[in-house]
Amino acid sequence: DAGVIQSPRHEVTEMGQEVTLRCKPISGHDYLFWYRQTMMRGLELLIYFNNNVPIDDSGMPEDRFSAKMPNASFSTLKIQPSEPRDSAVYFCASSSSHSGGPYEQYFGPGTRLTVT
Amino acid sequence: RKEVEQDPGPFNVPEGATVAFNCTYSNSASQSFFWYRQDCRKEPKLLMSVYSSGNEDGRFTAQLNRASQYISLLIRDSKLSDSATYLCVVSPFSGSARQLTFGSGTQLTVLP
């Protein structure tokens, strides 16, 4: 089975540009999570969805960040405008509440974002 | 104070050694506990869940002390392939992987 798929794997952009990160969760999973990882702050939860509905976005750093999940197989994380401090690895993860639990989160390979 | 605190290491140990990692968490309402492993420039992957009674998976043993809000991971007979960063993870939900809070990780290098 395919795991969590993220694209692009690497993104280099200039400050002020819009960046869109994409994620396809594992089929059948009803939870989707967006994380950001930096050396300074470690792995931080930005937002998560349950059945395509955003449940907790308290980790989203500011209004420049937005996330959507239009259907069960696709989610986007958008940064507009991007800033150098947004440089990080962004992970998408998914999990299922239908298995016996505890419910493992499966991570995608990440998108390495560099904003110059 | 961070919600989950770990000694960042690095721990450099010879093959075959036994190594232990510790982790403390600040939220006494935490209900689920995990250890994840992250290889260099890769995504985190679940290593094992941690149960109150302690649990073992091959060479790996995890312990939880709720009174002290302390979690440990013991690796016996370490292998070169165990070299990675080990992330201590907690959740406020029982039996659930929602809203995981990750520690900053402990880096392990197993030397030949």
Side-chain angles (χ1 to χ4, degrees), chain A residues 9-10 31 33 35 37 40-43 45 48 55-56 58 91 95 100-110 112, chain B residues 2 32-34 36 38 40-47 49 51 87 93-104:
Chain A
R9 295 293 304 276
H10 301 273
Y31 281 89
F33 308 83
Y35 291 89
Q37 186 173 40
M40 290 298 295
R41 300 175 68 89
L43 196 61
L45 176 65
Y48 79 94
I55 302 300
D56 185 350
S58 59
F91 287 105
S95 68
Y103 311 118
E104 177 180 354
Q105 286 191 16
Y106 295 84
F107 283 74
R112 188 170 296 273
Chain B
K2 290 183 179 179
S32 299
F33 309 90
F34 310 90
Y36 274 67
Q38 186 172 22
C40 186
R41 301 180 76 85
K42 297 286 189 180
E43 70 273 19
K45 293 184 179 179
L46 179 66
L47 176 66
S49 301
Y51 302 112
L87 303 166
F93 295 96
S94 177
S96 170
R98 289 179 287 159
Q99 286 188 261
L100 300 181
T101 300
F102 286 77
S104 298

Side-chain angles (χ1 to χ4, degrees), chain B residues 3-80:
Chain B
E3 285 191 55
V4 181
E5 299 216 45
Q6 295 182 250
D7 181 346
F11 284 63
N12 299 317
V13 302
E15 265 187 294
T18 295
V19 61
F21 305 138
N22 303 317
C23 162
T24 57
Y25 59 94
S26 60
N27 184 355
S28 59
S30 297
Q31 296 292 327
S32 299
F33 309 90
F34 310 90
W35 283 100
Y36 274 67
R37 169 192 169 130
Q38 186 172 22
D39 292 322
C40 186
R41 301 180 76 85
K42 297 286 189 180
E43 70 273 19
K45 293 184 179 179
L46 179 66
L47 176 66
M48 59 196 302
S49 301
V50 187
Y51 302 112
S52 295
S53 56
N55 49 296
E56 189 173 305
D57 183 1
R59 298 181 294 107
F60 298 83
T61 300
Q63 295 278 353
L64 168 65
N65 184 324
R66 285 185 183 269
S68 302
Q69 295 179 203
Y70 172 97
I71 306 164
S72 66
L73 177 68
L74 183 77
I75 305 175
R76 291 182 301 278
D77 187 25
S78 52
K79 313 290 185 190
L80 296 177

Side-chain angles (χ1 to χ4, degrees), chain A:
Chain A
D1 288 340
V4 175
I5 298 172
Q6 291 187 247
S7 65
R9 295 293 304 276
H10 301 273
E11 177 80 35
V12 180
T13 190
E14 291 185 349
M15 182 173 65
Q17 297 298 306
E18 177 178 296
V19 175
T20 299
L21 311 181
R22 297 173 176 79
C23 175
K24 177 179 169 56
I26 293 172
S27 178
H29 281 192
D30 53 340
Y31 281 89
L32 183 139
F33 308 83
W34 281 102
Y35 291 89
R36 175 173 70 176
Q37 186 173 40
T38 61
M39 289 293 292
M40 290 298 295
R41 300 175 68 89
L43 196 61
E44 303 173 280
L45 176 65
L46 300 178
I47 185 171
Y48 79 94
F49 297 82
N50 177 219
N51 293 321
N52 314 337
V53 176
I55 302 300
D56 185 350
D57 65 355
S58 59
M60 295 286 263
E62 49 197 273
D63 292 346
R64 297 185 298 108
F65 286 68
S66 62
K68 294 182 180 180
M69 192 165 185
N71 57 62
S73 59
F74 184 66
S75 177
T76 59
L77 178 67
K78 186 175 293 187
I79 309 172
Q80 165 65 16
S82 58
E83 296 183 4
R85 61 192 167 119
D86 301 331
S87 297
V89 180
Y90 291 81
F91 287 105
C92 175
S94 70
S95 68
S96 171
S97 64
H98 305 306
S99 59
Y103 311 118
E104 177 180 354
Q105 286 191 16
Y106 295 84
F107 283 74
T111 295
R112 188 170 296 273
L113 173 65
T114 303
V115 183
T116 60

